Amino acid sequence: MTARTVRNSLVGLVAIVAVAGMAVLIWVWLQPGPTGFASGKPVDLDAYHGRAPTGVPVELARADLLTRGRYLTQAADCEACHTAKGGKPFAGGRPFALPFGTLYTPNITSDKETGIGQWTNADFLRAVHQGVARDGTRLYPAFPYASYTMLTDEDVLAIKAYLFSLQPVHSENLPNTFRFPYDQRWLMFFWSMLFNSNDRFRPVDGQSAEWNRGAYLVEATAHCGECHTPRNAFQALNNRLKFSGGVAEGWNAYNITSDKGTGIGNWTQEELASYLSSGHAMGRGTAGGPMAEAVDLSFRYMTPSDIAAMVTYLKSVPAVKSESIPDHLADAASPVHSSGPGGNPIGKRIFEGACASCHSWTGKGAIRTEAQLTGSRAVNDPSAMNVAQMVLAGTGPGLEDRARMPAFRAIFTDAEVAAVSNYVTARFGSEPSHIDAADVAKLRQQSDAELTARDH
Ligand code: HEC
Ligand code: HEC
Ligand code: HEC
C-alpha cells in the first residue's frame, strides 16, 4: 500500500467513526424524557400553578421535617439497596453482581468515619442528583441518580435529615471488583453527560394534579423504570420502550405498560392499588423477589392518595407489546398441557411432595388465596425465571403479615428446581418452559453472592 492509500483509508475510517458518533449523539439527544409521551406542556416547578406534585402527600402536609423525611426515604426505598442481608439498615454492603464484577453499596448512616456523617447538604445533593461522591469520585448508575435527579432539593434534604437522625453505624465500605475498563470511574462523567440531565421534575400543564403527583412518585421517588424499563447498550433507560419490561437481580420485571395482553392494561385500578400496597392482587399473582422487597420496605408505607396517584399515572403510559411473553394468561390448569407435565415425572413428583399441599392440583391455592398460581405472569412466562427464583428463595424475610412460601434452595438440586419450574409453567401457564439446571445454577450463584457477601 502506498502512503497515500493508507492516508485515504485512515481519513475514511475517521469519517465513519465521526458519523457513527454523531448518529449516537443525535439518537440520544432525541430520546424522549420520562413524561415525554403525555400531551401537554412540561413546565418548571416554579411556573406550575396546580397543587404541588412534590414533597409528601396531603395527609402529611403539616408533619414535621423528620416525619416527612422518613416518608420520602421509604418512598425512595434507600434502605433496600443500602442494607446487606441481615445487616443494619443503611449501613451498606449489599452486593450487586454485574457482568463485569461486583459492586457493594456504601454506608449511608451518619457515622463520621465510615458513613456520610461529614457530608454537607451540598455534598449530599450532588451525590443524589448527579452521582458524584463527596471527594469528587463518580458513582455508577446502579445508584439510580438518573431518576433521583428529578427530586427537589427540599425532598432530598428531608431524606438527609431523616438519615442523620438515626443511630450512626460504624461499618467500612467494601471495594468493588470491577475489571478494567469498568473500574475507571471517571468514564461515568461521559455517561452522565449523555444520560443524566441533572434536571428537577417538570410537571405537565394540562394533566391533572393527581397525574402529576403520580408522575413525580413513579419517575423520581419510587424509580419504577429502573427495573421495569429496558436498558440501551450504555445501560441507560430506553424511554422509547418505557416500562415494557426489564431485568432486576435475575428476576424479570414485567411489562407494566397499558398493553392488554403482555402488560397490565387489563388490571383494574383496584387490582393495581392492591398489588402495590400489599404485594398481592386476587388472581393476578403475588410480588416476588425485588418487587416483594420494594412493596415491603417502600410502597406499603405510601398513603392511599399516593398509591392512587401512581395508579392514575401508570394507567396513562402507552401500550408497548412484549415479544417474549405470550399474549394471554392461562387462568386454569391447562388440559392441553396436562399431558406435557406427564413427560416430566421428576417435576410432577416434586410438585406432589413439596408444592401441592399449599398450591393444590388446580393451582387455585389450598387454604390461602395468595398461593394461587394460575393467572400469574410469572407462571405464564416461558423463561420460568421468576418461578425458579421463587422456588429457590421463597417469600424471603419481611411481609410478615402475609402467607409465606418457604425457600427450597437448600433442599433441591439445580436440576430439580428446573424440573418443578417446568412442571408448574406447563400445568398452570399458557406455554411450557424449558429452563435447565445450568440456568438455575446462574440464578443460584447470584443469590448466593448476596447471602455470603459479608463473609469474605
Ligand atoms: C437500586 C439501588 C440503590 C438505591 C435504591 C439507592 N442507592 Fe445509594 N447507592 C447505590 C450504589 C450501588 C452506590 C455506590 C455506587 C458506586 O460505588 O459507584 C450508592 C451510593 C450512594 C451514595 C454515595 C455514598 C458514598 O460514600 O460515596 C449516597 C450518598 C447514596 N447512595 C444515597 C442514597 C439515598 C439517599 C438513596 C434513597 C433516596 C439511595 N442511595 C438509594 C445503590 C442504591
Ligand atoms: C407452605 C406453603 C407453600 C409451599 C409448600 C409452596 N408454596 Fe409456593 N407459594 C406459597 C404462598 C403463600 C405463595 C404466595 C407468596 C406471597 O404471597 O408472597 C406462593 C407463591 C408461589 C409462586 C409465585 C406465584 C406468583 O403469583 O407469581 C410460585 C411460582 C410458587 N409458589 C411455586 C411453588 C413451588 C414450585 C413449590 C414446591 C417446590 C411451592 N411453591 C411450595 C406457599 C407455598
Ligand atoms: C427493584 C426492582 C423493581 C422496582 C423498583 C419496581 N418493580 Fe415492579 N416488579 C419487579 C419485579 C422483579 C416484578 C416481578 C415479580 C414477580 O414475578 O413475582 C415486578 C412486578 C410488578 C408488577 C406485576 C406485573 C405482572 O404482570 O404481574 C407490577 C404491576 C409492578 N411491578 C409495578 C411496579 C411499580 C408501579 C413500581 C414503582 C412504584 C415498581 N413496580 C417498582 C421489580 C421492580
Side-chain angles (χ1 to χ4, degrees):
M1 256 200 281
T2 66
R4 183 171 185 162
T5 48
V6 169
R7 199 178 62 227
N8 282 349
S9 48
L10 271 181
V11 169
L13 192 67
V14 169
I16 290 170
V17 170
V19 168
M22 280 304 285
V24 169
L25 279 180
I26 290 170
W27 177 82
V28 166
W29 186 61
L30 291 178
Q31 154 115 329
T35 58
F37 64 88
S39 63
K41 188 166 162 288
V43 295
D44 286 345
L45 271 167
D46 305 342
Y48 180 70
H49 299 300
R51 196 173 74 221
T54 61
V56 292
V58 280
E59 293 93 326
L60 292 179
R62 277 197 292 275
D64 61 28
L65 176 64
L66 294 185
T67 308
R68 282 184 283 132
R70 183 178 62 199
Y71 186 87
L72 292 163
T73 307
Q74 283 168 339
D77 208 4
C78 316
E79 185 178 340
C81 292
H82 284 279
T83 308
K85 281 252 154 62
K88 295 239 169 66
F90 306 108
R94 176 166 180 177
F96 284 84
L98 302 167
F100 30 86
T102 302
L103 178 65
Y104 298 89
T105 49
N107 181 346
I108 57 165
T109 71
S110 63
D111 186 59
K112 287 207 158 51
E113 280 161 36
T114 59
I116 58 167
Q118 311 219 29
W119 290 39
T120 63
N121 285 352
D123 293 336
F124 191 76
L125 281 167
R126 190 166 68 144
V128 176
H129 284 153
Q130 299 176 51
V132 180
R134 180 163 183 255
D135 63 1
T137 325
R138 290 274 160 181
L139 298 165
Y140 294 103
F143 173 24
Y145 48 81
S147 297
Y148 292 152
T149 199
M150 286 178 267
L151 294 170
T152 62
D153 289 8
E154 194 187 352
D155 287 354
V156 173
L157 294 178
I159 291 174
K160 175 169 181 274
Y162 173 69
L163 289 174
F164 276 57
S165 76
L166 303 174
Q167 200 66 30
V169 179
H170 191 89
S171 176
E172 293 287 348
N173 290 336
L174 299 170
N176 69 58
T177 64
F178 284 2
R179 324 187 282 270
F180 184 83
Y182 304 101
D183 59 351
Q184 302 296 303
R185 287 180 172 275
W186 57 272
L187 287 172
M188 293 304 118
F189 168 81
F190 297 104
W191 191 91
S192 285
M193 219 166 67
L194 291 172
F195 303 113
N196 184 9
S197 58
N198 187 22
D199 281 333
R200 303 298 87 81
F201 177 72
R202 304 186 79 211
V204 177
D205 243 347
Q207 297 285 345
S208 69
E210 191 183 40
W211 185 94
N212 276 303
R213 173 69 182 160
Y216 184 69
L217 290 168
V218 164
E219 299 298 342
T221 326
H223 59 274
C224 314
E226 296 279 344
C227 295
H228 285 282
T229 296
R231 291 176 188 271
N232 64 25
F234 305 95
Q235 292 296 307
L237 301 185
N238 180 358
N239 277 332
R240 292 185 173 91
L241 297 172
K242 187 184 180 64
F243 290 171
S244 66
V247 175
E249 296 145 56
W251 290 69
N252 277 327
Y254 295 115
N255 185 329
I256 54 167
T257 72
S258 48
D259 186 59
K260 286 200 186 325
T262 63
I264 54 169
N266 276 332
W267 292 40
T268 63
Q269 310 231 354
E270 291 71 31
E271 284 169 340
L272 261 176
S274 161
Y275 190 92
L276 292 176
S277 54
S278 75
H280 177 73
M282 256 317 252
R284 297 285 184 196
T286 51
M291 187 65 191
E293 195 177 64
V295 170
D296 188 34
L297 291 171
S298 176
F299 309 150
R300 70 166 164 153
Y301 295 108
M302 290 175 135
T303 61
S305 74
D306 270 357
I307 294 280
M310 294 206 294
V311 169
T312 297
Y313 177 73
L314 275 182
K315 281 283 181 189
S316 77
V317 174
V320 180
K321 194 169 148 52
S322 298
E323 299 305 330
S324 60
I325 41 182
D327 216 8
H328 75 283
L329 299 168
D331 57 8
S334 162
V336 184
H337 299 134
S338 43
S339 59
N344 179 357
I346 301 176
K348 181 171 188 208
R349 179 176 49 73
I350 296 173
F351 188 82
E352 182 164 26
C355 323
S357 59
C358 291
H359 289 292
S360 86
W361 288 101
T362 61
K364 293 286 181 199
I367 313 168
R368 301 293 297 239
T369 49
E370 286 96 330
Q372 177 168 350
L373 294 174
T374 52
S376 125
R377 180 64 72 194
V379 172
N380 284 272
D381 168 1
S383 79
M385 218 152 84
N386 293 11
V387 173
Q389 290 277 27
M390 196 73 187
V391 174
L392 287 171
T395 315
L399 295 172
E400 60 286 334
D401 40 355
R402 254 216 344 247
R404 299 173 63 89
M405 153 102 181
F408 290 96
R409 60 183 307 120
I411 299 171
F412 295 139
T413 63
D414 295 338
E416 287 169 328
V417 172
V420 75
S421 302
N422 288 330
Y423 185 81
V424 163
T425 57
R427 186 176 176 91
F428 304 113
S430 45
E431 259 179 46
S433 61
H434 303 283
I435 194 168
D436 63 22
D439 301 325
V440 175
K442 273 191 222 125
L443 301 179
R444 193 194 283 269
Q445 210 177 11
Q446 191 160 15
S447 43
D448 274 348
E450 292 233 340
L451 293 169
T452 56
R454 278 280 162 197
D455 301 346
H456 52 239

